[in-house]
Amino acid sequence: MRYVVRRLVIFVLTLWVALTLNFLIPRLMPGNPAQAALAKLAARGPVSPTELHAIELTLGLPHGSLLSQYGGYLVALAHGHLGVSYTFFPESVRSLIAQALPWTLGLVGTTTVLAFVVGTLLGVLAAWRRGGIIDTVATVGSTFTAAFPYFWTALLALYVLGFVLGWFPIRGGYASTLSPTWSLGFIVDAAYHAILPAATILVSSLGGWLLGMRNTMIPTLGEDYVTFAEANGIPSRTVALRYAARNAILPNVTGFGLALGFVVSGSLLTEVVFGYPGVGSLLYNAVVNEDYPLMQGLFLVITVSVLVANLIVDLLYGVLDPRVRR
């Protein structure tokens, strides 16, 4: 229980520091985010003082001391208000993130979990059959695919499978003739559009999980307790999964927790290449258009998701390895 309480206290303190930095960093930058948007509007023509004041009120230009702004920021966060986007005005940042998040969670979240499970199991099998043909094929193949960056694999798949062969759509999350609904036709079409981006992420990330698990498990197989279990006639599958893999999987679990946290940020380059309507594309648009409220909202969501994922991993560590609870 003390271990859980200690982890929760650290989580709360880290979350407070992250929220404070998310408030301070935009205000430490030269100029003001809202003034930058006003300057962009002024470039299209003269802005009268009345129009300027109206725009300031609409965009929520901060007023008052830094401390009062900080208090207002925390109150707004407590009510889920993240401001108004300059790029997609008058859309709120919260609604934009809410629209993009399901696409990223469906695409990147599913492929991340799938890559972790398949890669870890293949790593266990390669380590258990080390030196054999399964180990050789898995090691060489995963090293080959892991060497290619996401965007290169995405561009190659897009050109060959989408443009040349025409097997898959080359852009978007669904057909332009459809509207997002929960109908079977739309779900099938969205799944069809997600096949190519998901395959490129899966191919590029599978090797890392496989090699990590294999390289951690091979030294574990030489431990005395594994030899003792084999000498007592315990079935090979039980020794591999319950004795060796359980102790060797901790580094992979740590990496999985971090990967889950960054799922929310999306696979930026893959989403940009395929024009996928996820958080990665939204972040790209926010950076290109200097949309500070949207960037701040996205960074906040990403930070919180990473912290929550780390907390879950910390608690899971206590279950997998009771020694860390001391």
Side-chain angles (χ1 to χ4, degrees), residues 124 212-221 225 243-253:
V124 171
M213 188 64 197
R214 175 191 178 276
N215 294 339
T216 309
M217 186 169 168
I218 286 179
T220 307
L221 291 173
Y225 62 88
Y243 287 75
R246 180 176 177 179
N247 289 281
I249 201 173
L250 293 178
N252 258 29
V253 171

Side-chain angles (χ1 to χ4, degrees), residues 14-301:
T14 310
L15 179 62
W16 174 74
V17 171
L19 293 179
T20 303
L21 288 177
N22 196 44
F23 165 80
L24 287 176
I25 288 175
R27 287 161 176 79
L28 295 176
M29 296 172 64
N32 185 292
Q35 288 176 352
L38 295 177
K40 189 182 297 183
L41 294 175
R44 302 173 185 173
V47 179
S48 66
T50 306
E51 292 172 331
L52 186 65
H53 183 64
I55 293 172
E56 288 178 351
L57 292 177
T58 304
L59 296 181
L61 189 68
H63 295 283
S65 65
L66 193 64
L67 188 60
S68 66
Q69 291 181 32
Y70 183 59
Y73 164 78
L74 293 179
V75 171
L77 282 184
H79 290 84
H81 298 313
L82 300 176
V84 179
S85 168
Y86 299 161
T87 308
F88 304 95
F89 186 83
E91 286 275 351
S92 69
V93 171
R94 185 177 65 178
S95 67
L96 289 170
I97 295 176
Q99 291 170 23
L101 201 55
W103 292 97
T104 293
L105 292 178
L107 175 68
V108 186
T110 303
T111 51
T112 299
V113 172
L114 193 61
F116 170 75
V117 173
V118 175
T120 301
L121 289 177
L122 287 176
V124 171
L125 184 61
W128 189 250
R129 304 292 184 190
R130 58 190 181 281
I133 187 169
I134 295 178
D135 182 28
T136 303
V137 172
T139 304
V140 174
S142 58
T143 303
F144 181 76
T145 56
F148 294 106
Y150 282 176
F151 70 92
W152 192 91
T153 308
L155 287 172
L156 183 65
L158 188 66
Y159 178 73
V160 176
L161 301 178
F163 182 72
V164 177
L165 299 176
W167 291 352
F168 298 98
I170 60 174
R171 188 168 182 78
Y174 53 91
S176 58
T177 55
L178 299 176
S179 299
T181 61
W182 286 108
S183 65
L184 181 61
F186 179 80
I187 294 173
V188 172
D189 184 73
Y192 178 51
H193 278 73
I195 290 176
L196 209 52
T200 57
I201 297 174
L202 188 63
V203 168
S204 300
S205 59
L206 190 66
W209 298 116
L210 190 154
L211 291 175
M213 188 64 197
R214 175 191 178 276
N215 294 339
T216 309
M217 186 169 168
I218 286 179
T220 307
L221 291 173
E223 297 289 341
D224 292 341
Y225 62 88
V226 175
T227 306
F228 184 75
E230 290 179 302
N232 279 276
I234 296 176
S236 298
R237 180 181 299 178
T238 304
V239 175
L241 295 177
R242 297 191 59 182
Y243 287 75
R246 180 176 177 179
N247 289 281
I249 201 173
L250 293 178
N252 258 29
V253 171
T254 303
F256 181 60
L258 294 174
L260 278 184
F262 284 107
V263 160
V264 176
S265 65
S267 185
L268 178 62
L269 293 176
T270 302
E271 288 189 4
V272 171
V273 169
F274 288 99
Y276 204 75
V279 173
S281 295
L282 195 62
L283 181 58
Y284 173 77
N285 284 323
V287 172
V288 169
N289 295 294
E290 298 181 354
D291 191 340
Y292 294 104
L294 186 54
M295 279 192 281
Q296 197 173 5
L298 287 170
F299 290 149
L300 177 66
V301 172

